Short mmCIF file of all heavy atoms in Angstrom, two decimals:
data_model
loop_
_atom_site.label_atom_id
_atom_site.label_comp_id
_atom_site.label_asym_id
_atom_site.label_seq_id
_atom_site.Cartn_x
_atom_site.Cartn_y
_atom_site.Cartn_z
N LEU A 216 83.71 135.84 77.70
CA LEU A 216 84.65 136.25 76.65
C LEU A 216 86.09 135.74 76.99
O LEU A 216 86.95 136.61 77.28
CB LEU A 216 84.60 137.78 76.42
CG LEU A 216 83.24 138.33 76.01
CD1 LEU A 216 83.26 139.85 75.87
CD2 LEU A 216 82.74 137.66 74.75
N THR A 217 86.29 134.46 77.00
CA THR A 217 87.57 134.03 77.48
C THR A 217 88.74 134.27 76.50
O THR A 217 89.91 134.08 76.88
CB THR A 217 87.43 132.40 77.65
OG1 THR A 217 87.01 131.87 76.45
CG2 THR A 217 86.48 132.13 78.76
N THR A 218 88.51 134.61 75.22
CA THR A 218 89.58 134.93 74.33
C THR A 218 89.86 136.46 74.28
O THR A 218 90.77 136.85 73.68
CB THR A 218 89.21 134.51 72.88
OG1 THR A 218 87.97 135.09 72.48
CG2 THR A 218 88.99 133.02 72.81
N LEU A 219 89.10 137.25 75.03
CA LEU A 219 89.29 138.67 75.03
C LEU A 219 90.61 139.02 75.69
O LEU A 219 90.90 138.69 76.83
CB LEU A 219 88.10 139.39 75.78
CG LEU A 219 87.98 140.91 75.64
CD1 LEU A 219 87.73 141.32 74.19
CD2 LEU A 219 86.97 141.44 76.57
N THR A 220 91.50 139.76 74.91
CA THR A 220 92.80 140.16 75.45
C THR A 220 92.92 141.69 75.55
O THR A 220 93.75 142.15 76.17
CB THR A 220 93.89 139.62 74.64
OG1 THR A 220 93.78 140.08 73.28
CG2 THR A 220 93.96 138.11 74.64
N ASN A 221 92.00 142.42 74.86
CA ASN A 221 92.05 143.88 74.93
C ASN A 221 90.61 144.40 75.10
O ASN A 221 89.79 144.15 74.21
CB ASN A 221 92.64 144.46 73.66
CG ASN A 221 92.65 145.97 73.69
OD1 ASN A 221 93.01 146.61 74.67
ND2 ASN A 221 92.26 146.58 72.57
N LEU A 222 90.38 145.04 76.24
CA LEU A 222 89.09 145.68 76.47
C LEU A 222 89.37 147.13 76.86
O LEU A 222 90.11 147.35 77.79
CB LEU A 222 88.31 144.93 77.53
CG LEU A 222 87.00 145.64 78.04
CD1 LEU A 222 86.05 145.69 76.88
CD2 LEU A 222 86.47 144.89 79.24
N SER A 223 88.74 148.05 76.11
CA SER A 223 89.01 149.47 76.46
C SER A 223 87.60 150.13 76.45
O SER A 223 86.88 150.28 75.53
CB SER A 223 89.85 150.12 75.35
OG SER A 223 90.12 151.51 75.66
N VAL A 224 87.30 150.64 77.71
CA VAL A 224 86.00 151.32 77.93
C VAL A 224 86.19 152.51 78.84
O VAL A 224 87.17 152.50 79.64
CB VAL A 224 84.93 150.37 78.59
CG1 VAL A 224 84.54 149.25 77.60
CG2 VAL A 224 85.46 149.83 79.85
N ASP A 225 85.41 153.48 78.74
CA ASP A 225 85.46 154.66 79.62
C ASP A 225 84.77 154.15 80.89
O ASP A 225 83.67 153.61 80.93
CB ASP A 225 84.65 155.85 79.13
CG ASP A 225 85.37 156.44 77.92
OD1 ASP A 225 86.60 156.46 77.89
OD2 ASP A 225 84.66 157.01 77.00
N ASP A 226 85.42 154.50 82.02
CA ASP A 226 84.75 154.20 83.37
C ASP A 226 85.22 155.26 84.33
O ASP A 226 86.34 155.43 84.66
CB ASP A 226 85.31 152.88 83.82
CG ASP A 226 84.55 152.33 85.03
OD1 ASP A 226 83.64 153.06 85.54
OD2 ASP A 226 84.82 151.26 85.50
N ALA A 227 84.26 156.07 84.73
CA ALA A 227 84.47 157.17 85.58
C ALA A 227 85.58 158.13 84.99
O ALA A 227 86.51 158.46 85.72
CB ALA A 227 84.81 156.73 86.99
N ALA A 228 85.45 158.43 83.73
CA ALA A 228 86.40 159.32 83.00
C ALA A 228 87.74 158.73 82.90
O ALA A 228 88.71 159.43 82.58
CB ALA A 228 86.35 160.71 83.61
N GLN A 229 87.93 157.48 83.14
CA GLN A 229 89.28 156.86 83.00
C GLN A 229 89.12 155.74 81.98
O GLN A 229 88.18 155.01 82.02
CB GLN A 229 89.76 156.26 84.32
CG GLN A 229 90.03 157.33 85.35
CD GLN A 229 90.47 156.65 86.68
OE1 GLN A 229 90.61 155.45 86.68
NE2 GLN A 229 90.67 157.49 87.71
N VAL A 230 90.15 155.59 81.17
CA VAL A 230 90.11 154.46 80.18
C VAL A 230 90.72 153.24 80.90
O VAL A 230 91.80 153.35 81.47
CB VAL A 230 90.89 154.82 78.89
CG1 VAL A 230 90.91 153.59 78.00
CG2 VAL A 230 90.23 155.95 78.26
N VAL A 231 90.00 152.15 80.82
CA VAL A 231 90.43 150.92 81.45
C VAL A 231 90.91 149.98 80.40
O VAL A 231 90.17 149.60 79.52
CB VAL A 231 89.32 150.26 82.22
CG1 VAL A 231 89.72 149.00 82.94
CG2 VAL A 231 88.77 151.24 83.31
N LYS A 232 92.21 149.60 80.44
CA LYS A 232 92.72 148.62 79.49
C LYS A 232 93.28 147.42 80.27
O LYS A 232 94.11 147.63 81.15
CB LYS A 232 93.81 149.23 78.64
CG LYS A 232 93.30 150.27 77.69
CD LYS A 232 94.38 150.84 76.79
CE LYS A 232 93.85 151.94 76.06
NZ LYS A 232 93.69 151.78 74.67
N VAL A 233 92.75 146.28 79.98
CA VAL A 233 93.16 145.12 80.77
C VAL A 233 93.50 144.00 79.86
O VAL A 233 93.19 143.98 78.68
CB VAL A 233 92.10 144.70 81.76
CG1 VAL A 233 91.83 145.78 82.75
CG2 VAL A 233 90.81 144.34 81.00
N GLY A 234 94.05 142.94 80.35
CA GLY A 234 94.48 141.72 79.62
C GLY A 234 93.32 140.67 79.48
O GLY A 234 93.60 139.68 78.84
N GLY A 235 92.11 140.88 79.93
CA GLY A 235 91.06 139.96 79.81
C GLY A 235 89.83 140.35 80.52
O GLY A 235 89.87 141.10 81.44
N ALA A 236 88.70 139.78 80.09
CA ALA A 236 87.42 140.21 80.68
C ALA A 236 87.31 139.80 82.14
O ALA A 236 86.75 140.48 82.95
CB ALA A 236 86.33 139.49 79.91
N ARG A 237 87.93 138.67 82.48
CA ARG A 237 87.90 138.23 83.92
C ARG A 237 88.58 139.23 84.84
O ARG A 237 88.14 139.51 85.89
CB ARG A 237 88.55 136.82 84.09
CG ARG A 237 87.73 135.76 83.41
CD ARG A 237 88.35 134.38 83.62
NE ARG A 237 87.72 133.42 82.70
CZ ARG A 237 86.68 132.78 83.09
NH1 ARG A 237 86.13 132.83 84.23
NH2 ARG A 237 86.18 131.81 82.23
N GLN A 238 89.63 139.85 84.30
CA GLN A 238 90.32 140.86 85.11
C GLN A 238 89.45 142.13 85.26
O GLN A 238 89.44 142.74 86.32
CB GLN A 238 91.68 141.32 84.47
CG GLN A 238 92.73 140.14 84.56
CD GLN A 238 93.92 140.47 83.80
OE1 GLN A 238 93.86 141.17 82.75
NE2 GLN A 238 95.06 140.05 84.28
N VAL A 239 88.74 142.44 84.28
CA VAL A 239 87.78 143.62 84.38
C VAL A 239 86.72 143.36 85.38
O VAL A 239 86.44 144.19 86.27
CB VAL A 239 87.07 143.92 83.01
CG1 VAL A 239 86.00 144.92 83.15
CG2 VAL A 239 88.14 144.42 81.99
N LEU A 240 86.16 142.17 85.37
CA LEU A 240 85.11 141.79 86.37
C LEU A 240 85.66 141.84 87.78
O LEU A 240 85.02 142.37 88.66
CB LEU A 240 84.50 140.42 86.02
CG LEU A 240 83.82 140.30 84.67
CD1 LEU A 240 83.34 138.87 84.46
CD2 LEU A 240 82.68 141.25 84.56
N ALA A 241 86.84 141.30 87.97
CA ALA A 241 87.42 141.34 89.29
C ALA A 241 87.74 142.77 89.68
O ALA A 241 87.46 143.13 90.79
CB ALA A 241 88.70 140.55 89.33
N TRP A 242 88.25 143.58 88.78
CA TRP A 242 88.56 144.93 89.03
C TRP A 242 87.33 145.75 89.46
O TRP A 242 87.30 146.48 90.39
CB TRP A 242 89.26 145.60 87.84
CG TRP A 242 89.58 146.97 87.95
CD1 TRP A 242 90.69 147.53 88.53
CD2 TRP A 242 88.82 148.20 87.42
NE1 TRP A 242 90.62 148.83 88.40
CE2 TRP A 242 89.49 149.27 87.75
CE3 TRP A 242 87.65 148.19 86.72
CZ2 TRP A 242 89.06 150.52 87.33
CZ3 TRP A 242 87.22 149.45 86.37
CH2 TRP A 242 87.89 150.60 86.67
N GLN A 243 86.26 145.58 88.70
CA GLN A 243 85.05 146.35 88.96
C GLN A 243 84.41 145.83 90.31
O GLN A 243 83.85 146.65 91.06
CB GLN A 243 84.04 146.25 87.83
CG GLN A 243 84.37 147.17 86.70
CD GLN A 243 83.16 147.48 85.84
OE1 GLN A 243 82.21 146.66 85.77
NE2 GLN A 243 83.12 148.64 85.23
N ALA A 244 84.47 144.59 90.51
CA ALA A 244 83.92 144.06 91.74
C ALA A 244 84.66 144.62 92.97
O ALA A 244 84.10 144.98 94.01
CB ALA A 244 83.90 142.51 91.75
N THR A 245 85.98 144.71 92.83
CA THR A 245 86.76 145.26 93.92
C THR A 245 86.46 146.75 94.15
O THR A 245 86.27 147.18 95.30
CB THR A 245 88.31 145.07 93.53
OG1 THR A 245 88.55 143.70 93.41
CG2 THR A 245 89.17 145.71 94.66
N LEU A 246 86.28 147.51 93.12
CA LEU A 246 85.92 148.88 93.21
C LEU A 246 84.54 149.09 93.83
O LEU A 246 84.32 149.93 94.70
CB LEU A 246 86.02 149.60 91.87
CG LEU A 246 87.39 149.93 91.37
CD1 LEU A 246 87.27 150.68 90.00
CD2 LEU A 246 88.17 150.84 92.36
N ALA A 247 83.64 148.24 93.45
CA ALA A 247 82.28 148.28 93.95
C ALA A 247 82.25 147.98 95.44
O ALA A 247 81.55 148.65 96.18
CB ALA A 247 81.35 147.39 93.17
N LEU A 248 82.96 146.98 95.79
CA LEU A 248 83.06 146.57 97.20
C LEU A 248 83.71 147.70 98.03
O LEU A 248 83.19 148.04 99.16
CB LEU A 248 83.86 145.27 97.39
CG LEU A 248 83.99 144.76 98.81
CD1 LEU A 248 82.60 144.45 99.40
CD2 LEU A 248 84.78 143.45 98.78
N LEU A 249 84.78 148.29 97.56
CA LEU A 249 85.43 149.40 98.23
C LEU A 249 84.42 150.59 98.37
O LEU A 249 84.36 151.18 99.48
CB LEU A 249 86.64 149.86 97.44
CG LEU A 249 87.46 151.03 98.04
CD1 LEU A 249 87.91 150.64 99.46
CD2 LEU A 249 88.64 151.40 97.14
N ALA A 250 83.68 150.95 97.32
CA ALA A 250 82.69 151.98 97.40
C ALA A 250 81.72 151.71 98.47
O ALA A 250 81.28 152.58 99.23
CB ALA A 250 82.13 152.27 96.04
N LEU A 251 81.18 150.49 98.52
CA LEU A 251 80.21 150.07 99.44
C LEU A 251 80.74 150.19 100.86
O LEU A 251 80.07 150.71 101.80
CB LEU A 251 79.69 148.67 99.18
CG LEU A 251 78.65 148.14 100.11
CD1 LEU A 251 77.35 149.04 100.00
CD2 LEU A 251 78.27 146.70 99.75
N MET A 252 81.96 149.74 101.09
CA MET A 252 82.58 149.83 102.40
C MET A 252 82.65 151.32 102.82
O MET A 252 82.44 151.58 104.05
CB MET A 252 83.98 149.11 102.39
CG MET A 252 83.82 147.69 102.28
SD MET A 252 85.44 146.79 101.97
CE MET A 252 86.39 147.35 103.37
N ILE A 253 82.98 152.18 101.91
CA ILE A 253 83.15 153.56 102.27
C ILE A 253 81.74 154.16 102.66
O ILE A 253 81.65 154.85 103.70
CB ILE A 253 83.75 154.39 101.08
CG1 ILE A 253 85.26 153.97 101.00
CG2 ILE A 253 83.58 155.89 101.31
CD1 ILE A 253 85.87 154.51 99.69
N VAL A 254 80.72 153.82 101.91
CA VAL A 254 79.40 154.27 102.16
C VAL A 254 78.90 153.79 103.49
O VAL A 254 78.38 154.57 104.37
CB VAL A 254 78.41 153.92 101.09
CG1 VAL A 254 76.96 154.16 101.44
CG2 VAL A 254 78.72 154.69 99.73
N ILE A 255 79.05 152.50 103.74
CA ILE A 255 78.59 151.94 104.98
C ILE A 255 79.32 152.51 106.15
O ILE A 255 78.77 152.85 107.21
CB ILE A 255 78.77 150.39 104.98
CG1 ILE A 255 77.74 149.79 104.01
CG2 ILE A 255 78.60 149.80 106.37
CD1 ILE A 255 77.87 148.26 103.75
N GLY A 256 80.68 152.62 106.06
CA GLY A 256 81.55 153.24 107.08
C GLY A 256 81.05 154.66 107.42
O GLY A 256 80.97 155.03 108.58
N SER A 257 80.77 155.46 106.42
CA SER A 257 80.35 156.85 106.63
C SER A 257 79.00 156.87 107.27
O SER A 257 78.74 157.72 108.14
CB SER A 257 80.43 157.68 105.36
OG SER A 257 79.40 157.27 104.49
N LEU A 258 78.13 155.92 106.89
CA LEU A 258 76.77 155.97 107.45
C LEU A 258 76.88 155.52 108.93
O LEU A 258 76.15 156.10 109.77
CB LEU A 258 75.90 154.97 106.72
CG LEU A 258 75.48 155.47 105.30
CD1 LEU A 258 74.76 154.35 104.57
CD2 LEU A 258 74.62 156.71 105.35
N LEU A 259 77.64 154.55 109.24
CA LEU A 259 77.77 154.10 110.63
C LEU A 259 78.46 155.19 111.48
O LEU A 259 78.03 155.41 112.62
CB LEU A 259 78.63 152.86 110.73
CG LEU A 259 78.02 151.54 110.09
CD1 LEU A 259 78.97 150.40 110.15
CD2 LEU A 259 76.69 151.25 110.83
N PHE A 260 79.35 155.87 110.96
CA PHE A 260 79.98 156.94 111.72
C PHE A 260 79.06 158.07 111.99
O PHE A 260 79.02 158.63 113.10
CB PHE A 260 81.25 157.44 110.93
CG PHE A 260 81.97 158.55 111.52
CD1 PHE A 260 82.78 158.27 112.62
CD2 PHE A 260 81.88 159.84 111.15
CE1 PHE A 260 83.46 159.26 113.31
CE2 PHE A 260 82.51 160.86 111.75
CZ PHE A 260 83.32 160.61 112.84
N LYS A 261 78.28 158.43 110.98
CA LYS A 261 77.32 159.54 111.14
C LYS A 261 76.10 159.23 111.98
O LYS A 261 75.59 160.09 112.68
CB LYS A 261 76.85 160.02 109.78
CG LYS A 261 77.88 160.76 109.01
CD LYS A 261 77.32 161.17 107.58
CE LYS A 261 78.44 161.85 106.76
NZ LYS A 261 77.93 162.15 105.45
N ARG A 262 75.57 158.02 111.87
CA ARG A 262 74.31 157.72 112.50
C ARG A 262 74.38 156.73 113.67
O ARG A 262 73.34 156.39 114.28
CB ARG A 262 73.30 157.19 111.45
CG ARG A 262 72.99 158.30 110.50
CD ARG A 262 71.86 157.85 109.65
NE ARG A 262 72.39 156.99 108.59
CZ ARG A 262 71.73 156.20 107.93
NH1 ARG A 262 70.39 156.06 108.00
NH2 ARG A 262 72.24 155.42 106.96
N GLY A 263 75.51 156.18 113.89
CA GLY A 263 75.60 155.09 114.90
C GLY A 263 75.34 153.72 114.31
O GLY A 263 74.61 153.67 113.29
N LYS A 264 75.93 152.70 114.80
CA LYS A 264 75.88 151.44 114.18
C LYS A 264 74.52 150.75 114.12
O LYS A 264 74.29 149.85 113.39
CB LYS A 264 76.94 150.50 114.73
CG LYS A 264 76.63 150.04 116.15
CD LYS A 264 77.68 149.06 116.59
CE LYS A 264 77.34 148.55 117.90
NZ LYS A 264 78.33 147.49 118.40
N HIS A 265 73.56 151.19 114.88
CA HIS A 265 72.23 150.54 114.85
C HIS A 265 71.23 151.35 114.16
O HIS A 265 70.01 151.13 114.28
CB HIS A 265 71.78 150.27 116.29
CG HIS A 265 72.68 149.33 117.02
ND1 HIS A 265 72.79 147.97 116.63
CD2 HIS A 265 73.53 149.49 118.08
CE1 HIS A 265 73.66 147.41 117.42
NE2 HIS A 265 74.14 148.33 118.26
N ALA A 266 71.60 152.35 113.37
CA ALA A 266 70.69 153.18 112.65
C ALA A 266 70.03 152.40 111.53
O ALA A 266 70.59 151.49 110.90
CB ALA A 266 71.43 154.41 112.02
N ARG A 267 68.79 152.74 111.28
CA ARG A 267 67.99 152.10 110.30
C ARG A 267 68.40 152.70 108.92
O ARG A 267 68.41 153.88 108.81
CB ARG A 267 66.51 152.35 110.60
CG ARG A 267 65.56 151.67 109.61
CD ARG A 267 64.16 151.86 110.01
NE ARG A 267 63.30 151.42 108.97
CZ ARG A 267 62.30 152.17 108.50
NH1 ARG A 267 62.12 153.37 108.97
NH2 ARG A 267 61.58 151.72 107.56
N PRO A 268 68.69 151.89 107.94
CA PRO A 268 69.09 152.41 106.62
C PRO A 268 67.94 153.15 105.97
O PRO A 268 66.79 152.77 106.05
CB PRO A 268 69.56 151.19 105.81
CG PRO A 268 68.85 150.08 106.50
CD PRO A 268 68.68 150.45 107.88
N ARG A 269 68.26 154.28 105.24
CA ARG A 269 67.31 154.97 104.48
C ARG A 269 67.18 154.40 103.11
O ARG A 269 67.96 153.52 102.76
CB ARG A 269 67.81 156.45 104.31
CG ARG A 269 67.84 157.21 105.66
CD ARG A 269 68.39 158.57 105.46
NE ARG A 269 69.79 158.40 104.92
CZ ARG A 269 70.50 159.44 104.58
NH1 ARG A 269 70.04 160.65 104.69
NH2 ARG A 269 71.73 159.25 104.08
N ALA A 270 66.19 154.83 102.30
CA ALA A 270 65.90 154.17 101.04
C ALA A 270 67.12 154.43 100.10
O ALA A 270 67.49 153.48 99.38
CB ALA A 270 64.67 154.92 100.40
N ILE A 271 67.72 155.57 100.17
CA ILE A 271 68.91 155.75 99.30
C ILE A 271 70.08 154.80 99.62
O ILE A 271 70.78 154.39 98.71
CB ILE A 271 69.44 157.24 99.37
CG1 ILE A 271 70.34 157.55 98.25
CG2 ILE A 271 70.09 157.51 100.71
CD1 ILE A 271 70.53 159.00 98.00
N ASP A 272 70.18 154.41 100.88
CA ASP A 272 71.25 153.41 101.21
C ASP A 272 70.96 152.03 100.55
O ASP A 272 71.88 151.34 100.14
CB ASP A 272 71.36 153.24 102.68
CG ASP A 272 71.64 154.57 103.39
OD1 ASP A 272 72.25 155.43 102.78
OD2 ASP A 272 71.19 154.67 104.57
N VAL A 273 69.68 151.67 100.56
CA VAL A 273 69.30 150.36 99.98
C VAL A 273 69.46 150.42 98.43
O VAL A 273 69.88 149.47 97.84
CB VAL A 273 67.82 150.05 100.36
CG1 VAL A 273 67.36 148.80 99.65
CG2 VAL A 273 67.71 149.92 101.90
N GLU A 274 69.20 151.61 97.81
CA GLU A 274 69.32 151.71 96.38
C GLU A 274 70.77 151.57 95.99
O GLU A 274 71.07 151.08 94.92
CB GLU A 274 68.79 153.08 95.93
CG GLU A 274 67.22 153.17 96.01
CD GLU A 274 66.72 154.50 95.66
OE1 GLU A 274 67.50 155.35 95.17
OE2 GLU A 274 65.55 154.75 95.95
N MET A 275 71.63 152.01 96.82
CA MET A 275 73.15 151.93 96.54
C MET A 275 73.47 150.43 96.32
O MET A 275 74.27 150.08 95.44
CB MET A 275 73.97 152.50 97.62
CG MET A 275 75.39 152.38 97.50
SD MET A 275 76.02 153.26 96.09
CE MET A 275 77.74 152.96 96.14
N ALA A 276 72.94 149.56 97.12
CA ALA A 276 73.19 148.11 97.03
C ALA A 276 72.74 147.55 95.69
O ALA A 276 73.34 146.69 95.06
CB ALA A 276 72.59 147.38 98.20
N ALA A 277 71.62 148.13 95.13
CA ALA A 277 71.09 147.67 93.87
C ALA A 277 72.07 148.03 92.69
O ALA A 277 72.00 147.37 91.65
CB ALA A 277 69.75 148.26 93.61
N LEU A 278 72.88 149.01 92.86
CA LEU A 278 73.88 149.36 91.86
C LEU A 278 75.06 148.43 91.68
O LEU A 278 75.70 148.45 90.71
CB LEU A 278 74.39 150.80 92.03
CG LEU A 278 73.28 151.93 92.02
CD1 LEU A 278 73.92 153.20 92.39
CD2 LEU A 278 72.64 151.98 90.63
N LEU A 279 75.29 147.65 92.72
CA LEU A 279 76.45 146.74 92.76
C LEU A 279 76.19 145.56 91.86
O LEU A 279 75.08 144.99 91.77
CB LEU A 279 76.82 146.40 94.16
CG LEU A 279 77.12 147.49 95.06
CD1 LEU A 279 77.32 147.00 96.48
CD2 LEU A 279 78.42 148.28 94.64
N PRO A 280 77.28 145.10 91.15
CA PRO A 280 77.09 143.91 90.26
C PRO A 280 76.91 142.68 91.12
O PRO A 280 77.31 142.58 92.29
CB PRO A 280 78.44 143.79 89.55
CG PRO A 280 79.38 144.66 90.40
CD PRO A 280 78.61 145.72 91.13
N ASN A 281 76.19 141.69 90.50
CA ASN A 281 75.93 140.45 91.20
C ASN A 281 76.71 139.34 90.58
O ASN A 281 76.19 138.39 89.96
CB ASN A 281 74.40 140.14 91.08
CG ASN A 281 74.04 138.91 91.91
OD1 ASN A 281 74.73 138.52 92.73
ND2 ASN A 281 72.89 138.34 91.55
N TRP A 282 78.05 139.44 90.56
CA TRP A 282 78.93 138.47 89.95
C TRP A 282 79.29 137.37 90.98
O TRP A 282 79.43 137.57 92.11
CB TRP A 282 80.22 139.11 89.50
CG TRP A 282 80.06 140.16 88.44
CD1 TRP A 282 79.26 140.03 87.38
CD2 TRP A 282 80.66 141.40 88.38
NE1 TRP A 282 79.32 141.17 86.58
CE2 TRP A 282 80.13 142.00 87.21
CE3 TRP A 282 81.60 142.06 89.16
CZ2 TRP A 282 80.66 143.27 86.78
CZ3 TRP A 282 82.01 143.33 88.76
CH2 TRP A 282 81.50 143.93 87.60
#
Side-chain angles (χ1 to χ4, degrees):
L216 300 177
T217 57
T218 60
L219 192 65
T220 57
N221 179 44
L222 174 62
S223 183
V224 294
D225 290 326
D226 191 357
Q229 297 178 1
V230 176
V231 179
K232 293 183 188 247
V233 297
R237 291 180 193 272
Q238 289 174 327
V239 170
L240 297 178
W242 177 82
Q243 282 203 331
T245 301
L246 284 180
L248 182 58
L249 180 59
L251 181 61
M252 290 169 56
I253 291 169
V254 169
I255 290 172
S257 67
L258 290 173
L259 292 176
F260 180 75
K261 288 180 184 175
R262 294 190 279 163
K264 69 178 186 177
H265 298 292
R267 183 173 169 235
R269 296 176 298 176
I271 193 164
D272 302 333
V273 175
E274 290 174 14
M275 176 65 178
L278 297 175
L279 298 175
N281 187 19
W282 296 318

